[in-house]
Amino acid sequence: MGREFELKYRCADADFEGLTADFSGFQTIEMETTYYDNASGDFSRRKWTFRRRMENGNSICTLKTPMKGLGRAEFETECGD
């Protein structure tokens, strides 16, 4: 199990291009993400997130659950198609 603490920021395209120019060795990752819940919305009610993400052709399944404070527990595994 990992622990996640995440900050997200908005950035205009022009600002992002300038920011990425300051770093070398960036790797592009193509992602397609699908989030799941049951018909009763049990995951959402518990503030859990379950997703399947395709990353450059690899399937990764992740479950995130709340922890005390601002962090979240993260359980991740490669999963089959």
Side-chain angles (χ1 to χ4, degrees):
M1 173 188 71
R3 182 181 175 123
E4 175 185 65
F5 181 78
E6 183 174 8
L7 300 173
K8 294 183 181 182
Y9 300 95
R10 288 190 177 165
C11 182
D13 288 344
D15 294 331
F16 183 73
E17 291 171 9
L19 177 66
T20 57
D22 293 337
F23 296 93
S24 62
F26 264 106
Q27 177 186 2
T28 299
I29 299 173
E30 297 291 329
M31 291 186 196
E32 178 181 320
T33 304
T34 305
Y35 290 88
Y36 296 92
D37 203 340
N38 64 10
S40 300
D42 292 330
F43 282 17
S44 293
R45 189 171 24 268
R46 290 179 175 95
K47 300 190 183 309
W48 291 6
T49 303
F50 180 66
R51 72 169 185 230
R52 178 180 184 230
R53 178 175 281 165
M54 294 296 293
E55 298 179 7
N56 290 334
N58 296 318
S59 181
I60 308 292
C61 291
T62 306
L63 175 66
K64 296 183 181 187
T65 61
M67 294 180 76
K68 289 183 180 180
L70 298 175
R72 292 170 51 126
E74 182 172 309
F75 307 88
E76 186 171 276
T77 187
E78 288 190 37
C79 47
D81 296 333

